[in-house]
Amino acid sequence: QARGKGYGRSMIMQALHDMRREGARKVVLDAREENKRARALYESVGFKEQYVWHGFVRYEVDVTGL
């Protein structure tokens, strides 16, 4: 089982750095409202909740400061 070992966080951080290097300024993603584990992970790497819509939470992060 890979849960709790930091693999997901590491992959997200690498992806954010890659997107920044390619010129992205912000990244947006959606997560199911009931997926608390994923939401906590996204928030821990800097994603901010924007709104909830039809059971999904929209998140956004500014990658220019990474």
Side-chain angles (χ1 to χ4, degrees):
Q1 186 80 5
R3 278 192 180 150
K5 295 186 176 167
Y7 300 134
R9 180 181 175 80
S10 178
M11 288 175 20
I12 290 172
M13 292 305 296
Q14 184 62 54
L16 293 175
H17 284 287
D18 291 348
M19 286 183 261
R20 178 177 177 244
R21 188 180 67 242
E22 293 296 321
R25 296 187 338 193
K26 71 176 179 177
V27 175
V28 176
L29 64 80
D30 296 325
R32 288 199 175 273
E33 194 171 9
E34 69 270 9
N35 193 343
K36 296 189 185 310
R37 188 178 295 252
R39 293 178 57 200
L41 173 62
Y42 301 144
E43 291 170 11
S44 77
V45 297
F47 281 88
K48 303 291 184 215
E49 183 177 319
Q50 300 300 303
Y51 58 86
V52 178
W53 182 74
H54 293 282
F56 286 89
V57 181
R58 169 66 48 103
Y59 285 96
E60 185 176 295
V61 66
D62 177 353
V63 294
T64 60
L66 296 179

